[in-house]
Amino acid sequence: MKKQLLCAFVALLSLMAKTAFGQFSKPISVGAGAGVALNFTDLANVEPKLAFYGEADYLITPYLSVGLRGEKGTLAGNGYDSEFKNRYFAGNINGKIRIGQFMGHPDNYSYYTLEANTLSRILSNIYVGAGAGLVKNRINRTTSSFYKDYLENNGGELFTDLGEIHFVVPLNIGLDIPFGRTLYGPQWAINVNYQHTLTTNDNLDGVKNKSNDQYGFVSVGVKYALFNRK
């Protein structure tokens, strides 16, 4: 699975580069930002922690994109006289679709972006998305004897691999607020995003119990469109 995902990452990067230099009317955007990571794990008392991201998206249409995203942050929580801190790394391939895809905008996007009012442009850039990726754990934990006994009596356990890499599914909802118009679209955008990440196991906090761990990431960032027509 890990080898297949790595090959997919490389293939997508190659496709994005080849297409971008061949068709400037379908640009790549790059972005970066920061926010707060929130754990939804067995140790469920949440301690919000800082996280960062960087991304690159290829626009198939002005409102449909595929891209790559990397994250670095910390998940932390406590409960049952126990606590954990996971300084994680994550990466994913994702797709996003924006409301503008369904708003019946004219085919000539050059005219639309020059004439559209601000409200229409903002509403057009509300999006949802989903993807697939990997998370690399770096977990430190302190577990009370009481909680260890509780886990043993209820079918749970403590993970011994605190640096595991595992598969995740990120779900996104967000908004791009564009500014700086060009013939094809905005040159810049402020991005507000919530990403909810589902895991395929129960090891974001080093504790295995009844259900898989999840985490959320609320972020604000800046995006810049490359290869736009002027």
Side-chain angles (χ1 to χ4, degrees), residues 38-89:
L38 308 166
N39 72 286
F40 302 105
T41 66
D42 301 293
L43 297 175
N45 295 326
V46 178
E47 300 175 18
K49 296 292 183 180
L50 189 64
F52 303 89
Y53 76 89
E55 63 181 4
D57 290 310
Y58 170 66
L59 296 176
I60 299 170
T61 76
Y63 306 109
L64 182 64
S65 65
V66 294
L68 303 174
R69 177 183 172 104
E71 297 173 25
K72 182 180 185 300
T74 301
L75 299 170
N78 62 80
Y80 306 101
D81 296 322
S82 305
E83 62 183 9
F84 84 98
K85 187 173 290 184
N86 183 354
R87 294 181 174 88
Y88 74 94
F89 297 91

Side-chain angles (χ1 to χ4, degrees), residues 94-97 127-131 170-173:
N94 62 80
K96 300 185 183 76
I97 188 165
Y127 62 81
V128 294
L171 306 174
N172 289 278
I173 183 169

Side-chain angles (χ1 to χ4, degrees), residues 102-118:
F102 310 103
M103 292 179 67
H105 294 320
D107 293 336
N108 191 326
Y109 189 71
S110 300
Y111 289 148
Y112 166 72
T113 190
L114 291 171
E115 297 176 357
N117 61 56
T118 301

